[in-house]
Structures are given as structure tokens and as C-alpha cells.
Amino acid sequence: MNIDEKYVSEIVKSVIENMNTVTVSGNQKGVFDTMSEALSAVSKAYKEYRAYSVEQREKMIAKIREFTLNEAEVMAKLGVEETGMGRVSDKIIKHQLVANKTPGTEDLHPTAITGDRGLTLIEMAPFGIIGSITPSTNPSETVICNSIGMIAGGNGVVFNPHPNAKKVANYAVDLVNRAILEAGGPENLVVSVKNPTMDSSKEMMTSPLVKMLVATGGPGVVKTLLSSGKKAIGAGAGNPPVIVDDTADIEKAGADIVSGASFDNNLPCIAEKECFAFDNITDRLMESMVKAGAYHAKGSEIDKLLALALKKTEKGYTLNKKWVGKDASKFLKEIGVNVDKDVRLIICETDASHPFVEHELMMPILPVVRVKNIEEAIDLACEAEHGNRHSAHIHSKNIDNLTNFARAVETTIFVKNAPSYAGIGAGGEGYTTFTIAGPTGEGLTAAHSFTRQRRCVMVDGLHIV
Ligand code: NAD
């Protein structure tokens, strides 16, 4: 057994033995006491990394994929344990998705322009050191996904993870560094701080060493980054609606929506968060959802759920963070409902102005709103999406309905006749990412998003024709 394998197995053993009190201590690679130490370490590493070939980058990325697959379960358990949110089985799938479908250097495409006056070459160059702020909802997934894309682009990375998910995010930073070192890469190409705070975030954002900023989170962090004066990629909040019309395969639509909306307890920003169904199929749709594992809450149960999920203030409702990402069965137990099966999702019929429709709950509760026709469905769905232009979904076989909704809602991700996660490559074509940049327009980020274009011009000569 070599040192790294021994080190990993000790961590895994300690995590599993201490699942109630997660203690991932010891010297985590790339994780520093202060932001200034982290910045100077990554700066040194980036200088070394400039001399590495693309082939070497790929070797490092291959190791990150391998380690992520090996340690997916540990990170999934740690994530749920630390944040109290989500489902271990779904988080394992998220890590596998990141390992298998995050693009590497193949995502970088140079452009050549040739003509009478010679050759012009446009190459995708590193930005330098990238500062990345990560969320609590996909903490280690985002660290690994960003690391693969940013390293593929030739960059170094400094993370300021969400304070409520720092253990699992820093576990991922350590994993990435172990993988890089085993593949012969430089020390500390990806760094982080032990105790991320708003101050460490500010230090990172304002450091002259950091050339690009990437934020994955709610509206607050995206706004802060966009006012930084630096090149910034903002991946912000969503509130994805799903429409079901009367041409859809209703059984399949119900099952798909339960799968998508309950995935990791509705934490993913792309997950179905409110449903608009044609009046003439709503009952059938809700029955098919129950068949697929949902519980249909009615009457006072809905009021009790509302009292748990949202807090009423003078300014309206705000999210009760205590209940974000909790299991549906926990909600049901709290409101006094006993069920004898594993309920993945709670569905309830509401009107379009209900707070469950308005707010990005990130809880396994899906409001279903009856609509008369597609025009009403599209209007209400666009309103519920709040112009985030993040994600929207539809179940329909009517081409006009599919097209008209896509045009009206203008989201970065639009999934037709499948669970929402097909939009990030799980059961759908295309690569994956956990940083979906709607506000700044990069869309589904990958290595190319973390590069800058450089042009090299040679006038005359160098032709073979
Ligand atoms: P959050 O906004 O609370 O936190 C995200 C990160 O930003 C954290 O690291 C936090 O410490 C930091 N942060 C928050 N406000 C900040 C500020 N003013 N300055 C600097 N840093 C700040 O988000 P969360 O609860 O962890 O994640 C859920 C939110 O993120 C949801 O709104 C979800 O839709 C969104 N999200 C979006 C994507 C995407 O790809 N678009 C992916 C995941 C999550």
C-alpha cells in the first residue's frame, strides 16, 4: 500500500466510524489557515503549472475522476452529515456524474483562419488564478467540477467554500490535490481556507493575484461578484417551473417529475419547483405522481407544511433554512402524517399565488397549479421563474407548445419530456456542470468558460496550399 492509499483509507475509516460527529482532521492538502497563505501557495503552483503540457493536465484530471469515483460515497455521507441536507444515494450519483461527465481539455478548441495574408491562430489561454465561491447545496460536487474545468483550462484555483459546508468542500480540495500529486502535478494548484468567512471571501475577491471570479449560489453572491470590477462568472438562483399539457404521456410525466423534483430533496437549482398542469389532466397527473412515490397533501396539511417551510415576516415570507433539503418523511412526521413507504416528494394543489410557487424552496414539496390552457400555463410559469432565465421544463407532444414556452421563458436549460436532471447530462445528451451561469451568459460552464482568447498572427507564408 502506498502512502496515499493508506492516507485515504484512514480518512474513510475515520469518517465512517464517526458519522455522528464528522471529524475529518489532519493535514488536508491545499487547505490553509489563512487566505493570504492560500493565495501565495496557489500563486507559486500556477507559475510551475504554466510549464505543463496538455497531456499532463489530462493525466491530473484522469486521477481526479478516479479518486472522485472511489470516494463518492464518503463525500455524499459527509455532505449530508455536515449540512443536514439532501440524500446520500442521490449525492453519490451527483459525484459520479461530475467524475464521468465534466469535460476536460477536449473542451478547448483553437480556431485557425488562413487566407491570402497568412495564418491567424486563436488559442484558449488560461485566465490565471481563479477565485471560486461554492454553495452549500452541491459543495464537494462544485469544488470537483470547477477544479476539473479550471485545471483543464490551465488555471490555478482558490476556493472560498460555503461556511456551512466547509468540511466536505475541503475534503474535495484535499482529494483534488492528492490526485494532482499522484499524477505528478504541482503542489497546491487548488487551494482553500480552513474557515471561510466573508472576510476571506473579500480578501480573495480583491487580491491582485486573482484574475477571474466564479460564484455559484444565490442572488447575493452573484451581485457581489459582479460589482468586483473583475471578470466574473455568476451562476445564480433559479425557480424552475414544469408545464404538463393534455398531449403528454401523463403516467411518464408524473414519474419523471417525481424523479426530478425529489432528486437530492430538491436541492439542485435545476429541479422542478412548481408544476402547471392542464385542468383536464391534473387529477390523473397527481395520481401518477402518487404512484411514483409522492404523498398528496391536502387541506390543513398544506397550511402546516407552509408553517414549516417558510417564515412569515412583515416583508412577506422568507425561507426557513432549518427545513431546506430535508427528507419528505421528516416533513410528514412533523405535521403528524404517518406513512408506511419511503415518500420522496410531497405534492399539493395550490393556486398560482401560493408562497410555495413564488419561493425557491429547495425542499421536496411540489405545488401543482391547474391552468385552462397553454397561454395561461406559460404566463404563470414565466412569472414563477422570476426572470432568472435559469431552467424550465415541459411534458408535451405539441410542437407549438414546446416552442412557445421555450421562447417565452428564455432559460439556460429547457428540458422536454424528461426529469430536470437530463438537462445536466444525467439521462440526457451533453456534458455536466454544477455551475450554470445564466446571469453572465456562459450557460453550462466547462473548461472553455475559464479561458481567455489570444490571437497570434503570421502574415504571409506557412501555407501548404
Ligand atoms: P448562498 O447564496 O447562501 O451561498 C453561496 C455562496 O456564496 C456561499 O459560499 C456563501 O458563503 C457565499 N456568499 C453569500 N452571499 C455572499 C456575499 N454577499 N459575498 C460573498 N459571498 C457570499 O447559496 P446556497 O444556499 O449555498 O445555495 C443555494 C442557492 O444557490 C440557490 O439559490 C440555488 O439556486 C443557487 N445555485 C445555483 C447554481 C447554478 O449553477 N446556477 C448551482 C447551485 C446553487
Side-chain angles (χ1 to χ4, degrees), residues 133-138 160-163 198 201 205 216-218 220-221 224 235-238 269 360 362 390 434-436:
I133 295 179
T134 53
S136 57
T137 47
N138 319 310
N160 197 75
H162 196 296
M198 282 301 194
S201 169
M205 283 195 269
T216 312
V221 64
T224 307
C269 51
E360 186 196 20
M362 295 181 284
H390 192 299
F434 279 75
T435 299
I436 300 150

Side-chain angles (χ1 to χ4, degrees), residues 337-446:
V337 174
N338 289 313
V339 280
D340 53 9
K341 59 175 186 174
D342 177 30
V343 172
R344 284 192 62 97
L345 184 72
I346 301 168
I347 54 169
C348 53
E349 195 177 329
T350 70
D351 60 32
S353 59
H354 193 276
F356 283 173
V357 175
E358 287 277 296
H359 290 266
E360 186 196 20
L361 290 185
M362 295 181 284
M363 299 171 195
I365 300 175
L366 183 81
V368 179
V369 178
R370 280 177 200 267
V371 292
K372 292 188 295 290
N373 51 38
I374 192 68
E375 288 76 19
E376 188 186 13
I378 292 176
D379 283 352
L380 293 177
C382 290
E383 211 172 295
E385 213 274 325
H386 303 305
N388 291 322
R389 303 201 292 184
H390 192 299
S391 297
H393 317 294
I394 183 167
H395 293 264
S396 169
K397 288 178 191 147
N398 179 317
I399 290 174
D400 291 337
N401 291 354
L402 294 167
T403 307
N404 291 340
F405 183 32
R407 286 199 174 139
V409 74
E410 292 188 293
T411 47
T412 305
I413 292 180
F414 190 79
V415 176
K416 300 166 179 174
N417 300 321
S420 49
Y421 46 68
I424 53 166
E429 289 302 326
Y431 63 84
T432 205
T433 182
F434 279 75
T435 299
I436 300 150
T440 46
E442 290 78 7
L444 282 84
T445 56

Side-chain angles (χ1 to χ4, degrees), residues 52 140 173 175 191 219 225 228 230 256 262 329 371 381 385 396:
Y52 278 61
S140 39
V173 169
L175 177 150
V191 296
L225 246 68
S228 68
K230 288 188 181 174
D256 282 356
S262 67
S329 56
V371 292
E385 213 274 325
S396 169

